[in-house]
Amino acid sequence: MEKRMLFVFNPKAGKGKIKSCLWEILSIFNAADYEVIARATQFSGDAREQAKKYAGQVDLIVCSGGDGTLDEVVSGLIEIDAQVPVGYIPAGSTNDFANSLFMPKNMVEVAHNIMLEQPYFCDVGRFNDSTFAYIAAFGIFTEVSYATDQALKNALGHMAYLLEGIKSLSDIQCYHMRVVSDELTVEDDFIYGMITNSRSVGGFKNLTGKHVDMNDGLFEVTLVVMPRNPLELNEIITSMLTATDNTNLVHTFKTRHISIDSDQEMTWTLDGEYGGTVSKVEIEVLHNALQLYLKSTRAEKKVNLLEEIQNALFPTEDD
């Protein structure tokens, strides 16, 4: 019996790489007995609207583009409480979410894997009244992800974020905040913070820690205190790049729920897109809210192998 699929893709993402294999991908879907409704996004937020429009009419929604395209689809489905499986063909400049799940780089191979219809349930996040797939962040560098020109992203990949961010280092802004969770309550001046469900951020691995499970019902939290001098800044950078908890200037922990109250409004980014400017935030985990079609067993084996290697090379005190 023929099934129906919505295939929504961003034709401009990642130098328009979807164009070179679009027909091959559609053929793979058709060969698996899917009637495909194909929609190329026309504007920001279009993927969200398409997902909401067709959720009740299809058996599967496949999206292709950057992490922002996936975010739109996931947000749209959760907004209307639709239980539709999702396939994701990464085509952006960094693809943090796909890298975190060890998805193949070859888009045709990913399409084949989606047609295996192996379910993998993944946590997503609630951010006040919005939703994010893998990261909510504020502070230095975060505006870069959505403010950087698409052509520059295509040309330089995640290095574009660094090049644009460097322009703002001379005027680092901090936010006085009170952070409350079951694991930690702290009040201080912060220059950066991220609540993540990802093994990769901005193309850089391990920034969120060494032991990340994307369906454990917990998010990883990283909060960076305002450094008072260059030595403290270097201490922060070293701690984050090595994923080691050796400084009081970086707070790292896992949580299901976190409240953040700032003395002033601050701009947030959700999955690399503008997430609003607010002073109070409630973030919680929506456990296993996203059903993905991918070869999850292969991903989990890679996660376990990498963790075994990391534990052998960098043993903790508990080991």
Side-chain angles (χ1 to χ4, degrees):
M1 181 178 178
E2 192 172 62
K3 298 166 286 189
R4 300 188 80 203
M5 171 201 300
L6 169 64
F7 178 44
V8 56
F9 61 95
N10 180 352
K12 298 180 180 179
K15 299 182 180 179
K17 63 177 70 174
I18 185 69
K19 299 174 185 177
S20 64
C21 53
L22 180 59
W23 295 115
E24 191 172 359
I25 289 173
L26 290 173
S27 179
I28 291 169
F29 295 158
N30 290 151
D33 291 328
Y34 273 99
E35 174 191 350
V36 181
I37 304 168
R39 292 289 184 268
T41 57
Q42 304 297 309
F43 50 84
S44 177
D46 194 16
R48 176 187 290 103
E49 297 307 314
Q50 296 294 333
K52 292 165 61 175
K53 177 180 178 181
Y54 287 99
Q57 307 174 39
V58 297
D59 303 284
L60 171 65
I61 295 178
V62 177
C63 61
S64 182
D67 292 326
T69 303
L70 174 68
D71 173 82
E72 289 188 13
V73 170
V74 173
S75 297
L77 293 177
I78 291 179
E79 190 174 317
I80 61 173
D81 195 26
Q83 307 297 315
V84 184
V86 173
Y88 177 45
I89 302 177
S93 53
T94 53
N95 302 316
D96 283 322
F97 187 83
N99 291 336
S100 295
L101 290 171
F102 306 101
M103 295 173 65
K105 303 295 184 183
N106 185 286
M107 299 173 70
V108 174
E109 183 180 353
V110 176
H112 276 296
N113 288 349
I114 293 172
M115 291 299 92
L116 296 176
E117 298 185 350
Q118 295 182 3
Y120 176 87
F121 290 90
C122 187
D123 299 336
V124 297
R126 175 82 71 189
F127 177 93
N128 288 347
D129 295 328
S130 301
T131 306
F132 63 95
Y134 74 97
I135 183 172
F138 70 87
I140 186 173
F141 290 120
T142 54
E143 289 188 10
V144 175
S145 57
Y146 60 82
T148 304
D149 180 76
Q150 182 64 53
L152 184 57
K153 287 183 182 179
N154 290 345
L156 299 175
H158 69 260
M159 284 303 297
Y161 301 151
L162 292 182
L163 291 174
E164 287 293 300
I166 288 172
K167 297 178 182 179
S168 63
L169 284 178
S170 60
D171 187 24
I172 298 177
Q173 183 175 6
C174 66
Y175 302 90
H176 188 79
M177 305 186 323
R178 177 175 170 79
V179 179
V180 179
S181 71
D182 290 340
E183 296 75 13
L184 175 72
T185 295
V186 61
E187 185 170 353
D188 211 329
D189 294 328
F190 296 94
I191 61 170
Y192 179 76
M194 60 181 177
I195 295 86
T196 60
N197 190 38
S198 176
R199 301 180 180 97
S200 173
V201 173
F204 296 95
K205 297 179 181 180
N206 294 328
L207 287 181
T208 59
K210 297 176 182 177
H211 306 287
V212 177
D213 186 344
M214 297 178 68
N215 60 0
D216 62 355
L218 297 171
F219 279 171
E220 285 67 39
V221 179
T222 302
L223 300 171
V224 180
V225 176
M226 179 70 180
R228 292 169 294 183
N229 53 61
L231 288 177
E232 289 191 346
L233 178 59
N234 184 65
E235 184 178 322
I236 290 170
I237 293 173
T238 300
S239 176
M240 294 188 67
L241 292 180
T242 59
T244 54
D245 187 8
N246 57 5
T247 175
N248 293 326
L249 299 172
V250 180
H251 300 285
T252 57
F253 57 96
K254 296 175 181 283
T255 191
R256 302 178 188 276
H257 178 270
I258 186 170
S259 299
I260 299 177
D261 191 347
S262 174
D263 286 354
Q264 63 187 105
E265 289 191 336
M266 53 188 180
T267 299
W268 286 78
T269 177
L270 304 180
D271 297 333
E273 304 296 326
Y274 176 69
T277 302
V278 294
S279 60
K280 295 184 178 181
V281 171
E282 294 282 339
I283 296 176
E284 64 177 328
V285 176
L286 303 179
H287 185 43
N288 287 348
L290 172 61
Q291 180 181 351
L292 286 169
Y293 278 171
L294 81 163
K295 295 176 69 173
S296 59
T297 54
R298 179 181 173 188
E300 290 305 312
K301 287 179 181 178
K302 284 190 175 182
V303 171
N304 294 335
L305 177 59
L306 285 174
E307 289 191 348
E308 287 178 10
I309 294 173
Q310 287 177 329
N311 288 336
L313 294 175
F314 308 103
T316 63
E317 293 182 0
D318 294 336
D319 297 331

